[in-house]
Amino acid sequence: MTSGEIIIKGGFVVDPTRKMEGDITDIAIKDGKIVDKVSSSAKVIDAKGKTVMAGGVDVHAHVAGPKVNVGRLFRPEDKLLSGVCRSAMAQKNGARMESGFSIPSTFKTGYDYARMGYAFVMEAAMPPLYSPHIHEEIHDTPIIDEGALPVFGNNWFVMDYLKKGEIENTAAYIAWLLNVTKGFGVKCVNPGGTAAWGWGLNCLSLDDVVPYFDTTPREIITGLLKANEYLGLPHSMHIHQNNLGNPGNYQLTIDSLKLAEGIKTKNKFGREQVMHSTHLQFHSYGGTGWGDFESKAKEVMDYVNKNKAITVDTGNVTLDETTTMTADGPFEHHLHSLNHLKWVNVDVEMETAAGVVPYVYDPNIKVCDIQWAIGLELALYAKDMNRIFLTTDHPNAGPFTRYPRVIKWLMSKKAREAVLDSFKHKDKVIDATTLHTIDRELTLYEIAQMTRSGPAKCLGMSNIYGGLAPGMNADVGIFDLNYKNMPSDPEKIEKAFQRAACFIKSGEIVVKDGEVLSRGHKKTVWVHVNMPENLQVKRDITQSFTKDYTVSLVNYPVRDYLAPHPFVLEVDVEA
Amino acid sequence: MHAHPRHTSRYSIFPRGFFTPKGQMQRTIISIDPRQTDTAKLADIHLMLNQGHDYELFDAFRTVLRGYDIPDEVAGIKKEVIVKSAEIMKKAKFCMIFFGMGCTHTDGHNHNIDAAISLTRDLNNHTKASIMAMRGHYNITGPGQVWSWQFGFPYCIDLSKGTHAHMNPGETSSIDLAMRDEVDCFVNVGTDAGAHFPIPAVKHLKKHPFITVDPNFCMASEISDLHIPVRIAGVDEPGVVYRMDNVPIQFRSVIKGLPGVPSDEELFDLVYERMCELTKTEPVWLAAKADRKYPQNPAVS
């Protein structure tokens, strides 16, 4: 954080938190925060004719941790696709080498997000046992602020408590785990299914019984929703649902979303939803097989639009060669048997599992094209843009560096039609989707909702990120787009968002004309829960670590020095 | 038993697991080794294959698993034994394959493990199976992880281009570089190149400055022009160490280090600082570390 004062003059400010739709106004920055006014000695940045937005907030991306690193390690060929060479200037500025396309190195991750004007990124799945690794990687990712969601959906403690209906004990366990892993919230991946994968099985419906644990996905989801609200965490339960990626899964998706009905939100962070359903694109499929595979985006979004207690993110397929990685172990095995590319499986003792498989979303394959259309349909059918966020489930449906391209498709029917026209199986794609019938083109205001104010609110940090009101973090992106006179060529939209004209992070100019100038002042954001000790849970944890874990309890908590730039959200839970 | 003395008791054979409360009694151990090792003596079945015939054996397992017939003897092992072993793997609730350098550094090299990985993949159609390397050298996994997230490659990294990292084992691997005499300064960190490298490679390296960073005296340190002792992580220096299965373990220090002996990290920081001084560049990445507070050594304070 620098104490230097900056004033951004004359730009079209797009800030949904203050209902600003391209108003021409100045943004003043001091001590790393947005302020009302600054002295005349402030550094002036001329933003005339350009669009000014808050720093982007990514609600779901896999950017750090063991499975991401497995992807980097087992895909040397991915480096060939990166196309970046460190310039002599960058080297002189002290910038590190960058590598990788779908699974970039930590340095490239930080630089690329900054180039696109993103300020905060949530690592979407942290296996608790590996949390020191994730914090080490986060430390090595420059500029951007990050948090990480530990996975709970297949945790043996959680399943054991929920089988007995013990919400309070589940909550106490969640609180303990968030504190020791420096985690942000409750992630739930293929509830029950990943645990069943220990036996080579899966849970494909809400009432499939998890072997040994004798619970069901329905119980786990409902239990975690309640436990999350019991604690009043900043973020809601964040779910990757069962039966991902299979034709005809949309009904299960809607049934799972319905579990949020009747659960009341309780928190002090301004969050309104009780469930965040992630990469919805993978869960909105109709048909009985790949032959009659079709879009059910409309059906799913009709439900999402009705239920205010739900937020979603899209998970747009970007038609690239990428690397899929998820804690949904059985799904990756299934995917591997579809494409026969290399496969890595990891089982994490008592907690979760993971898999990694490279994937090529080939525009010549009908199914990939339909997936592409579904992702866009979801956003275009949405009524409240503050409840749907732009992601590619990086790197599963495409790398995060394609966000600008997705923005282009959402903002321009012309750009969408050009892609549709290029498909080999265009007619079949049109038969299976409704994208070609949608005329809607999103506005910059709606894009700002999807990438800034919406996700910040969903994460319970609307007073810190995602807006430009005085008092908020001084994360400001300036993009070369004239709000009043938008370019007719959609490529210019993509280009503008790919390389911000200027990006200010925590009050420091870190990117100018797409060039990274500084390694910024990154922070690791986590949640610390203060609640009275739960003796039962304490005893269970001690006993389990003594008997079953291969690491001892004293070595489990992430030591403070591994996360040296903390930004801690405190949550107080009364007994 | 010998290469990883704690492995059998803590992880693989003897421990009482959550689903295996009777420990070894509930496990079936198959040892594949041309020698009668102590591990082989422990095993329920010892497949004493002909040396260098690993690939054939794994291939035979796969053939049997897929329901095809195999010759009466493969790799020096009778058909019945192979069929029985394959059946055991198939019926197991969880099948774990550990492999070491005996498999990867014999005839066939990586192709042997390719066959074993394929076997693991096939087994997953019947039950749950996994495969893991028995890696030597304490914390060899650590640099693999760190370099993967920093450069995307776990070893053999060539940074000399300055623009991007490059990896091509055979071209950028240390022994090959040494054999081609492409190296004009050799820094040996935490390993013993003197003992492990082929003599001709060491002879080439020895023509130029030869530096060893190691807590102990070893063959490499004996022939070094400069030997810098450092503290040992997990003994007199805390730090994160990656276990063989990639699980990070946060080590504490148990004794006080010798006065004046730096940790690896402090040493490289000093070298970096001096290098920046000589090249008149800003030590930016040192500054990045300044606000990283290291844990106090409890044995010291």
Side-chain angles (χ1 to χ4, degrees), chain A residues 362-377:
Chain A
D362 186 341
N364 289 330
I365 294 173
K366 183 194 79 174
V367 171
C368 300
D369 302 341
I370 297 173
Q371 288 178 307
W372 168 82
I374 294 172
L376 298 174
E377 284 174 6

Side-chain angles (χ1 to χ4, degrees), chain A residues 211-422:
Chain A
Y212 177 80
F213 296 100
D214 201 26
T215 179
T216 59
R218 186 188 299 277
E219 281 176 352
I220 299 173
I221 297 171
T222 321
L224 286 175
L225 285 171
K226 287 179 183 161
N228 197 88
E229 298 314 311
Y230 178 93
L231 292 170
L233 299 176
H235 188 34
S236 66
M237 201 268 259
H238 189 118
I239 185 171
H240 154 144
Q241 301 174 354
N242 301 77
N243 204 9
L244 175 140
N246 284 329
N249 63 8
Y250 81 102
Q251 197 54 52
L252 173 80
T253 304
I254 295 174
D255 290 345
S256 318
L257 292 174
K258 281 184 180 160
L259 296 176
E261 288 174 14
I263 293 177
K264 287 267 176 312
T265 167
K266 187 203 98 180
N267 69 89
K268 294 174 185 155
F269 299 90
R271 159 175 66 85
E272 287 176 17
Q273 90 281 8
V274 297
M275 181 197 265
H276 178 77
S277 181
T278 190
H279 41 70
L280 203 59
Q281 178 269 130
F282 287 121
H283 304 276
S284 307
Y285 299 159
T288 54
W290 298 116
D292 60 353
F293 182 74
E294 60 175 346
S295 166
K296 289 285 178 189
K298 179 107 180 52
E299 285 77 356
V300 173
M301 281 317 289
D302 279 349
Y303 181 76
V304 172
N305 285 335
K306 270 190 294 194
N307 190 342
K308 282 203 171 9
I310 294 169
T311 57
V312 297
D313 66 76
T314 51
N316 285 88
V317 164
T318 62
L319 303 171
D320 284 293
E321 173 179 331
T322 188
T323 315
T324 67
M325 52 184 63
T326 164
D328 193 341
F331 168 75
E332 290 289 359
H333 178 244
H334 172 67
L335 188 68
H336 159 71
S337 63
L338 281 177
N339 74 2
H340 300 290
L341 296 177
K342 45 194 171 183
W343 166 52
V344 173
N345 176 67
V346 180
D347 294 278
V348 182
E349 50 191 277
M350 316 204 33
E351 290 175 352
T352 176
V356 187
V357 174
Y359 201 84
V360 184
Y361 290 99
D362 186 341
N364 289 330
I365 294 173
K366 183 194 79 174
V367 171
C368 300
D369 302 341
I370 297 173
Q371 288 178 307
W372 168 82
I374 294 172
L376 298 174
E377 284 174 6
L378 289 172
L380 296 169
Y381 281 129
K383 293 229 167 76
D384 180 357
M385 304 316 281
N386 256 328
R387 292 200 288 118
I388 181 161
F389 319 128
L390 192 155
T391 69
T392 60
D393 187 19
H394 164 81
N396 287 305
F400 69 82
T401 42
R402 291 292 190 231
Y403 289 172
R405 190 165 291 180
V406 178
I407 292 175
K408 171 185 79 180
W409 288 326
L410 292 174
M411 290 184 71
S412 160
K413 185 171 164 67
K414 192 170 132 192
R416 295 198 291 268
E417 274 175 348
V419 178
L420 202 57
D421 283 335
S422 72

Side-chain angles (χ1 to χ4, degrees), chain B:
Chain B
M1 269 308 266
H2 296 295
H4 295 262
R6 300 278 284 144
H7 198 265
T8 50
S9 57
R10 268 185 73 90
Y11 307 109
S12 52
I13 301 181
F14 300 116
R16 293 164 191 272
F18 192 91
F19 293 105
T20 47
K22 289 182 181 161
Q24 189 192 5
M25 308 272 280
Q26 275 177 288
R27 293 197 178 90
T28 311
I29 294 111
I30 301 177
S31 167
I32 301 176
D33 204 309
R35 304 160 303 161
Q36 176 83 2
T37 59
D38 282 339
T39 311
K41 284 178 200 159
L42 261 180
D44 300 283
I45 297 174
H46 176 204
L47 303 178
M48 204 174 192
L49 79 170
N50 293 338
Q51 202 264 322
H53 288 252
D54 310 59
Y55 188 94
E56 282 108 302
L57 183 63
F58 287 123
D59 214 33
F61 284 139
R62 295 186 67 199
T63 313
V64 171
L65 276 180
R66 285 168 179 250
Y68 295 100
D69 197 21
I70 54 168
D72 291 338
E73 195 179 294
V74 179
I77 300 180
K78 294 266 177 299
K79 177 179 167 181
E80 310 86 77
V81 186
I82 293 176
V83 173
K84 188 179 149 204
S85 307
E87 205 55 32
I88 291 172
M89 286 190 257
K90 196 171 149 183
K91 292 224 174 95
K93 285 197 188 108
F94 192 111
C95 179
M96 187 75 214
I97 302 175
F98 293 105
F99 67 94
M101 298 213 297
C103 181
T104 52
H105 284 57
T106 182
D107 294 350
H109 298 277
N110 52 322
H111 297 291
N112 295 335
I113 214 57
D114 192 344
I117 291 169
S118 302
L119 170 66
T120 313
R121 193 180 56 203
D122 289 358
L123 275 170
N124 269 296
N125 294 331
H126 302 283
T127 176
K128 186 69 189 290
S130 209
I131 183 166
M132 192 187 288
M134 297 285 272
R135 306 193 66 180
H137 293 100
Y138 147 83
N139 201 24
I140 184 66
T141 317
Q145 291 289 341
V146 176
W147 291 332
S148 289
W149 79 58
Q150 296 200 336
F151 304 110
F153 304 114
Y155 42 67
C156 301
I157 304 171
D158 178 0
L159 300 177
S160 62
K161 289 179 168 49
T163 49
H164 63 286
H166 167 62
M167 175 226 205
N168 189 14
E171 181 198 346
T172 60
S173 35
S174 50
I175 292 176
D176 298 275
L177 284 167
M179 293 296 266
R180 291 195 305 269
D181 202 11
E182 285 184 23
V183 179
D184 64 358
C185 176
F186 181 66
V187 186
N188 172 60
V189 185
T191 181
D192 188 354
H196 300 161
F197 279 19
I199 299 280
V202 179
K203 277 185 178 159
H204 276 306
L205 293 173
K206 192 54 195 130
K207 289 187 222 160
H208 310 286
F210 193 121
I211 303 163
T212 294
V213 178
D214 200 292
N216 305 309
F217 291 107
C218 58
M219 285 173 77
S221 74
E222 288 298 310
I223 59 165
S224 292
D225 301 302
L226 176 65
H227 176 200
I228 310 172
V230 284
R231 294 207 288 272
I232 308 172
V235 177
D236 48 10
E237 176 69 18
V240 178
V241 165
Y242 286 78
R243 202 166 68 184
M244 202 173 76
D245 57 353
N246 299 329
V247 172
I249 310 286
Q250 303 171 79
F251 276 22
R252 288 158 289 168
S253 61
V254 288
I255 55 165
K256 188 181 167 175
L258 289 170
V261 178
S263 69
D264 293 293
E265 203 158 10
E266 285 162 359
L267 174 72
F268 289 121
D269 262 3
L270 289 168
V271 174
Y272 174 64
E273 220 174 338
R274 178 70 182 142
M275 193 192 77
C276 290
E277 229 174 271
L278 292 174
T279 54
K280 296 194 174 61
T281 44
E282 196 73 19
V284 278
W285 291 97
L286 195 72
K289 285 159 58 67
D291 43 14
R292 187 166 172 178
K293 290 179 201 74
Y294 288 93
Q296 285 300 308
N297 185 335
V300 180
S301 55

